[in-house]
């Protein structure tokens, strides 16, 4: 009777969905709701949720929310990544505004957030959790290498992947349709092929720098110190391919968060007149300090040039020596800080009010804000016009909706700025099946619906103390 009683109890627990502890110390489960707050149901057992996945933002108490995910390197080897936090703030600001407008189809958005720690393998595991366990229909990802890796998780599951910082040219030809008619990987940033052209033209004097009182002398020899991932290698290739005499360009590569001494040694032997830093702030800070010690700094005839990943005030405040070394240095990034543009100005004002920080001091904050609004509008299209029979919001349906945000050549469409003022009007137009024309805080977003990317002007910025000042906007060459 005792054995039968235990068997009956075990069957009752299983049938009710409750968990019990096995001999191996694991709790069995049917769904994640059977597990504790920090555990998820995986292959029938309660296992710890992935490290770093401890934030949930948005409409956390809403019924039947539209579930999103975000894999962001909010920390790195040096600790807190301030630049990524500010980009995250851009996502959150747009999310809050969309939810205040009642979301789409009567459903609001909730977003699970995972800190990848700038670790691609960790990001892949986290993406799998958000897709498989949390049911996210769209994910946001930062960085080219990380986004390419996550795409291997999201695309086979028909989950939309949107990036606000991935600039690698690899995305242009990415196979991401999974048998459908529209690609599932989109980005609000242009390809680094364009940034490479802009940088090379500036360095060669083809594009003049309009900085009153300053004469820019084109360098004879250009070094490129770059991180050896899809971002750094792609940018180096784009710059090198644009400069006719390849002997006057030398690459100095290093692995992210690892030693930079090899790259510094390469610069020592090459003796550049100017070095482009195509890497991330924590590595660039260390590289600059080692370069100064190795006599490859400004005091020894080498100037520096920054790229989008380095438009981060923490680089300038990391060490006084770094601030001094970079004083007056120029750099480029997809245009974000455009104080004379009304769409950007509204975004910047709301951002400053919410977070007491100037978003123009960090690259891609406006691109993150735009990315969230694009996913929301794609979701509005997915829901459809029939309020009594709303359609399911899925990755492929969101992607199809994104193709309705840029009119075809010769086609006219109503223009809507991305932001709180006209979101509801744009939402209803899309639900009704209309094609609209969106303008983002980051600029015009005229998407190529085959590649999921849009061209963009670039800002030439200048280091002034511990801040960045926009000098001019540059349209990238088309050739």
């Amino acid at each position: 009777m005792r054995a039968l009683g235990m068997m009956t109890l075990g069957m009752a627990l299983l049938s009710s969905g409750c968990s019990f502890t096995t001999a191996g110390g694991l709790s069995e489960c049917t769904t994640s709701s059977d597990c504790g707050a920090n555990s998820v149901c995986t292959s029938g057992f309660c296992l710890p949720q992935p490290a770093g996945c401890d934030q949930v933002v948005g409409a956390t108490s809403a019924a039947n929310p539209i579930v999103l995910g975000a894999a962001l390197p909010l920390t790195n080897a040096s600790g807190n990544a301030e630049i990524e936090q500010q980009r995250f703030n851009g996502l959150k600001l747009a999310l809050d505004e969309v939810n205040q407008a009642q979301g789409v189809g009567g459903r609001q958005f909730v977003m699970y957030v995972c800190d990848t720690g700038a670790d691609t393998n960790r990001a892949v595991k986290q993406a799998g959790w958000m897709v498989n366990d949390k049911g996210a229909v769209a994910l946001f990802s930062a960085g080219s290498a990380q986004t390419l890796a996550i795409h291997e998780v999201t695309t086979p599951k028909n989950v939309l992947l949107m990036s606000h910082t991935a600039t690698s040219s690899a995305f242009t030809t990415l196979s991401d349709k999974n048998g459908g008619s529209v690609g599932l990987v989109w980005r609000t940033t242009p390809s680094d092929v364009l940034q490479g052209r802009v940088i090379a033209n500036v360095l060669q004097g083809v594009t003049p720098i309009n900085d009153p009182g300053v004469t820019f002398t084109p360098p004879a020899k250009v070094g490129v110190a770059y991180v050896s991932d899809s971002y750094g290698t792609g940018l180096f290739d784009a710059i090198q391919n644009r400069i006719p005499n390849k002997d006057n360009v030398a690459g100095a590569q290093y692995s992210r968060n690892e030693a930079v001494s090899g790259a510094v040694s390469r610069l020592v032997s090459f003796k550049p007149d100017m070095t482009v830093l195509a890497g991330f702030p924590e590595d660039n800070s260390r590289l600059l300090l080692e370069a100064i010690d190795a006599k490859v700094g400004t005091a020894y005839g080498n100037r520096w040039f920054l790229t989008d990943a380095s438009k981060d005030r923490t680089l300038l405040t990391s060490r006084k020596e770094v601030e001094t070394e970079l004083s007056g240095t120029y750099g480029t990034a997809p245009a974000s800080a455009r104080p004379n543009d009304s769409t950007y100005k509204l975004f910047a004002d709301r951002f400053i009010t919410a977070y007491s920080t100037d978003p123009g001091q960090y690259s891609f904050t406006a691109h993150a804000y735009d990315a969230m609004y694009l996913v929301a509008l794609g979701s509005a299209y997915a829901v459809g016009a029939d309020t009594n029979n709303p359609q399911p919001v899925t990755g492929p349906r969101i992607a199809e909706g994104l193709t309705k945000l840029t009119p075809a050549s010769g086609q006219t469409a109503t223009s809507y700025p991305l932001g709180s003022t006209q979101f509801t009007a744009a939402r209803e137009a899309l639900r009704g099946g209309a094609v609209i024309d969106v303008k983002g805080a980051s600029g015009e977003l005229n998407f190529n619906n085959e590649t999921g990317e849009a061209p963009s002007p670039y800002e030439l910025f200048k280091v002034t103390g511990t801040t960045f000042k926009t000098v001019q906007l540059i349209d990238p060459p088309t050739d």
Side-chain angles (χ1 to χ4, degrees), residues 327-368:
S327 178
T329 293
Y330 294 109
T332 59
S336 181
R338 296 173 298 114
N340 296 324
D341 181 88
S342 59
T343 306
Y344 172 80
K345 189 175 186 305
L346 179 60
F347 153 71
D349 288 346
R350 293 178 70 87
F351 193 102
I352 292 169
T353 299
Y355 305 113
S356 302
T357 301
D358 177 5
Q361 293 302 308
Y362 303 88
S363 60
F364 301 125
T365 50
H367 296 80

Side-chain angles (χ1 to χ4, degrees), residues 93-408:
L93 179 62
L95 180 64
D96 288 345
E97 292 174 358
V98 167
N99 280 340
Q100 287 171 16
Q102 303 307 310
V104 298
R107 299 174 65 188
Q108 294 185 307
F109 293 86
V110 66
M111 184 167 69
Y112 291 88
V113 183
C114 294
D115 173 18
T116 68
D119 183 321
T120 298
N121 292 330
R122 174 168 157 167
V124 168
K125 293 178 182 177
Q126 293 169 336
W129 174 71
M130 288 186 281
V131 169
N132 298 319
D133 289 275
K134 293 304 178 183
V137 295
L139 256 63
F140 297 92
S141 176
S144 295
Q146 175 179 293
T147 304
L148 284 169
I150 289 176
H151 140 74
E152 300 292 344
V153 174
T154 56
T155 297
K157 293 287 187 176
N158 277 332
V159 172
L160 183 98
L161 183 59
M162 174 70 76
S163 181
H164 48 283
T165 69
T167 56
S168 169
S169 60
F171 290 96
T172 303
T173 57
L174 194 67
S175 177
D176 63 341
K177 293 185 177 180
N178 196 36
S181 60
V182 182
L184 291 164
V185 180
W186 290 67
R187 55 179 172 171
T188 53
T189 54
S191 166
D192 270 328
V193 169
L194 300 182
Q195 183 170 199
R197 293 172 183 172
V198 169
I199 292 173
N201 280 7
V202 169
L203 298 188
Q204 295 176 94
V206 175
T207 299
I209 294 179
N210 301 318
D211 190 5
V214 178
T215 300
F216 178 80
T217 303
K221 298 174 68 177
V222 177
V224 183
Y226 65 94
V227 60
S228 57
D229 64 8
S230 56
Y231 166 71
T233 56
L235 195 48
F236 168 61
D237 288 343
I239 294 171
Q240 186 181 49
N241 291 336
R242 191 75 178 179
I243 296 178
N245 190 341
K246 302 297 184 288
D247 291 338
N248 290 340
V249 185
Q253 67 174 339
Y254 56 88
S255 297
R256 188 172 184 180
N257 297 324
E258 295 185 14
V260 295
S261 54
V264 172
S265 295
R266 176 68 174 127
L267 296 177
V268 169
S269 61
F270 183 65
K271 296 181 175 61
D273 302 305
M274 178 169 284
T275 299
V276 179
L277 295 176
F280 299 92
E282 63 273 20
D283 289 326
N284 284 340
S285 180
R286 293 185 295 111
L287 192 147
L288 284 164
L289 294 172
E290 289 194 28
I292 293 170
D293 289 341
K295 299 184 178 180
V296 193
T298 54
Y300 306 97
N302 175 55
R303 295 168 289 167
W304 304 99
F305 195 95
L306 304 177
T307 63
D308 48 24
S310 287
K311 194 186 179 190
D312 176 356
R313 286 196 65 234
T314 56
L315 172 64
L316 306 180
T317 59
S318 60
R319 290 278 293 271
K320 186 64 179 178
E321 300 96 317
V322 171
E323 176 192 341
T324 301
E325 182 70 9
L326 292 179
S327 178
T329 293
Y330 294 109
T332 59
S336 181
R338 296 173 298 114
N340 296 324
D341 181 88
S342 59
T343 306
Y344 172 80
K345 189 175 186 305
L346 179 60
F347 153 71
D349 288 346
R350 293 178 70 87
F351 193 102
I352 292 169
T353 299
Y355 305 113
S356 302
T357 301
D358 177 5
Q361 293 302 308
Y362 303 88
S363 60
F364 301 125
T365 50
H367 296 80
Y369 181 79
D370 289 345
M372 179 61 72
Y373 265 106
L374 293 175
V375 169
L377 290 174
S379 299
Y381 171 87
V383 168
D386 189 348
T387 56
N388 296 319
N389 185 32
Q391 298 302 300
V393 178
T394 66
R397 288 279 293 164
I398 297 173
E400 187 177 342
L402 294 177
T403 69
K404 310 300 181 181
L405 304 182
T406 303

Side-chain angles (χ1 to χ4, degrees), residues 443-468:
E444 299 289 347
L445 290 169
N446 296 319
F447 283 103
N448 179 326
N449 291 331
E450 281 298 312
T451 63
E453 60 187 43
S456 169
Y458 283 79
E459 58 176 302
L460 180 77
F461 59 82
K462 181 179 181 180
V463 175
T464 305
T466 57
T467 63
F468 299 98

